[in-house]
Amino acid sequence: MPGFEVFGEEEKQQVLEVFDTGILFRYEFGEQRNGVYKVREFEKAFADYTGAAHAQAVTSGTAALKVALAAMGVGIGDEVITQGFTFVATWEAILDIGALPIFTEVDETLNMDPVDLEKKITEKTKAIIPVHMLGAPARIHEIKAIADKHGIPVLEDTAQAAGARLNGQHLGTFGTCGTFSFDSVKTMTTGEGGMVISNDETLWRNCSEYQDHGHDHAVNPGGRGGEGRSFVGFNYRMMELQGAMGLAQLAKLDDMIAAQQKHKAIFKEAASKISGVTFREILDEQGDSATFFAFMLPDKEHAARVNQVLRDNGAGAINFGENSWHFYPSWEHLTGGKTLCHNGWPFEAHGKRRFIYDPEALPASSEIMNRTLVYQVPVKLSDAQRDVTLNALAQAAAL
Ligand SMILES: *Cc1c(COP(=O)(O)O)cnc(C)c1O
């Protein structure tokens, strides 16, 4: 899974080029920087790689979501629909922009169920955020068709699926925009970092200005101090060291994915011998970034029994039904409305609860997640790790 497995001379060389200039800031310092603009170069390379017209680098995947929502004009009073299986960052960004997150069920793609999406659209829905969880696509064509019918923009949270494709087209390029994360456990990493991609120049320009306090980035005789501004923004700027890391990691991304696909196939072959096993629905096996391998058992008890055998043999799998960071029923800080703010914001406004998040609200997702077991797929698979995992899966198959 993480790109740090393949850190090497390329990353060192890129970072040293930044130190040689002494300039860590992505803007200004025209003379001193000797033509080194790593963040700018990374944006261009990432846009070219994904086939998007524009890319805006920011400080994290969470910031990318927030900046994209801001650029789309989403705010207080709006609803944004996402799925109940995702990382907390997706709905944190929605809350932070002032809107309310509304959650859909997932289906056996482990991503947004389009049938449930259609039921949850209201006149307040201002954006839809399908998440391409665990490296593989949501039903983006169906989701996009429903969104288009209602005139609602789609933001693809592609944090876990950089480099993944659906029939040759990069995830993150189907909707109005796509966001990425390069945090330290993502396939390609810059330590911390994120990106928004889009074909919409106005949306990109809004992102570019919003993430830099509203600076219009027009060349002015007074330099940055003389730049104009047309709206208020914030600071989510990526620094040059991250841009340098991103360039080195992006160049390795396709090879990392190829290695993961190979290792996933080894796990899948062994898991297919387990009685009653089925697999997550992957819409395009060739385009799968294969950062994770997910398999299902007929029910929760069966999955627990299999996972006990895997654990006893040193290769326990993740059951996201039990995990507290990625699945709706365990987000007690969301369902309980816990916040630091003295007046209850963002869960309360004017002394009233804005929305009740019932932990039982997504029964179909729970049914699926509780019987799904997941392995992270490494970029580098040692013989020892392979043998332990294959033996554990063989023991589970002998159950
Ligand atoms: C990692 C992740 C994010 C947030 O990215 P950060 O860079 O850690 O802020 C958002 N969404 C999903 C689905 C993620 O996995």
Side-chain angles (χ1 to χ4, degrees):
M1 194 198 171
F4 64 69
E5 293 178 67
V6 296
F7 281 175
E9 285 309 314
E10 301 79 7
E11 283 79 3
K12 273 189 205 161
Q13 195 47 49
Q14 279 288 346
V15 167
L16 284 178
E17 282 177 36
V18 175
F19 279 120
D20 285 345
T21 68
I23 305 303
L24 302 184
F25 191 53
R26 67 163 298 177
Y27 299 112
E28 286 262 338
F29 298 97
E31 305 255 299
Q32 291 111 297
R33 65 192 316 141
N34 265 333
V36 176
Y37 287 90
K38 293 298 184 189
V39 177
R40 195 199 285 179
E41 211 187 312
F42 178 37
E43 289 169 339
K44 172 88 175 59
F46 198 81
D48 289 348
Y49 173 78
T50 55
H54 307 282
Q56 179 61 51
V58 290
T59 44
S60 70
T62 313
L65 287 158
K66 169 95 181 282
V67 168
L69 287 169
M72 292 158 92
V74 176
I76 288 178
D78 298 338
E79 292 175 358
V80 176
I81 302 178
T82 189
Q83 61 199 50
F85 176 49
T86 184
F87 183 53
V88 296
T90 316
W91 54 264
E92 284 175 334
I94 299 168
L95 282 175
D96 209 52
I97 206 80
L100 277 176
I102 304 294
F103 297 94
T104 72
E105 300 275 20
V106 297
D107 61 24
E108 291 210 2
T109 61
L110 303 185
N111 289 321
M112 183 176 279
D113 174 2
V115 177
D116 197 40
L117 164 64
E118 184 126 47
K119 291 185 198 148
K120 289 186 169 152
I121 291 175
T122 72
E123 70 281 3
K124 293 184 177 170
T125 310
K126 286 296 169 332
I128 296 167
I129 310 185
V131 187
H132 303 296
M133 280 298 278
L134 309 181
R139 296 185 199 281
I140 191 67
H141 289 300
E142 285 96 321
I143 291 164
K144 186 73 173 40
I146 293 165
D148 286 350
K149 195 169 83 186
H150 294 267
I152 302 166
V154 171
L155 186 177
E156 298 169 70
D157 182 343
T158 322
Q160 297 197 4
R165 299 154 169 93
L166 180 59
N167 305 324
Q169 185 179 341
H170 274 272
L171 301 188
T173 62
F174 291 85
T176 300
C177 59
T179 60
F180 294 81
S181 162
F182 311 122
D183 79 21
S184 49
V185 294
K186 298 304 198 298
T187 305
M188 63 164 285
T189 180
T190 59
E192 297 279 6
M195 192 78 82
V196 184
I197 59 172
S198 182
N199 289 327
D200 179 336
E201 187 179 348
T202 304
L203 186 119
W204 163 73
R205 205 166 282 288
N206 285 346
C207 289
S208 164
E209 295 176 22
Y210 181 80
Q211 60 90 42
D212 184 25
H213 300 296
H215 274 271
D216 67 9
H217 302 140
V219 179
N220 263 294
R224 269 176 74 75
E227 282 183 338
R229 59 244 156 188
S230 28
F231 50 78
V232 295
F234 212 76
N235 177 5
Y236 294 108
R237 289 184 303 252
M238 180 180 268
M239 65 192 276
E240 288 289 279
L241 293 171
Q242 294 161 297
M245 287 291 301
L247 283 165
Q249 285 270 293
L250 180 61
K252 298 180 180 182
L253 183 54
D254 282 341
D255 286 345
M256 288 197 272
I257 290 174
Q260 288 175 164
Q261 285 183 343
K262 202 171 109 209
H263 300 148
K264 180 175 166 177
I266 294 171
F267 293 164
K268 186 171 177 185
E269 164 71 21
S272 67
K273 310 241 162 51
I274 298 172
S275 152
V277 77
T278 53
F279 299 104
R280 173 191 189 184
E281 187 177 349
I282 302 279
L283 301 180
D284 173 7
E285 290 282 354
Q286 281 176 346
D288 181 13
S289 66
T291 53
F292 291 88
F293 165 51
F295 53 108
M296 285 105 161
L297 282 309
D299 54 49
K300 180 179 177 174
E301 291 68 35
H302 203 127
R305 264 198 320 274
V306 165
N307 206 11
Q308 192 55 52
V309 173
L310 297 176
R311 273 195 205 113
D312 291 346
N313 287 280
I318 306 165
N319 180 331
F320 283 101
E322 299 165 354
N323 176 291
S324 61
W325 285 97
H326 294 84
F327 186 37
Y328 177 84
S330 25
W331 295 328
E332 80 291 342
H333 52 332
L334 171 81
T335 54
K338 302 205 174 113
T339 171
L340 285 173
C341 186
H342 70 95
N343 65 16
W345 181 260
F347 297 105
E348 289 178 31
H350 313 295
K352 283 216 323 249
R353 198 62 180 265
R354 296 168 73 204
F355 193 85
I356 301 296
Y357 291 102
D358 172 7
E360 313 274 309
L362 300 175
S365 303
S366 288
E367 195 277 325
I368 294 170
M369 297 315 299
N370 287 336
R371 61 185 175 83
T372 298
L373 298 180
V374 178
Y375 279 126
Q376 282 192 14
V377 179
V379 178
K380 287 183 174 168
L381 180 61
S382 69
D383 290 352
Q385 188 186 353
R386 184 197 59 208
D387 292 349
V388 167
T389 309
L390 293 190
N391 173 60
L393 288 167
Q395 297 299 323
L399 246 187

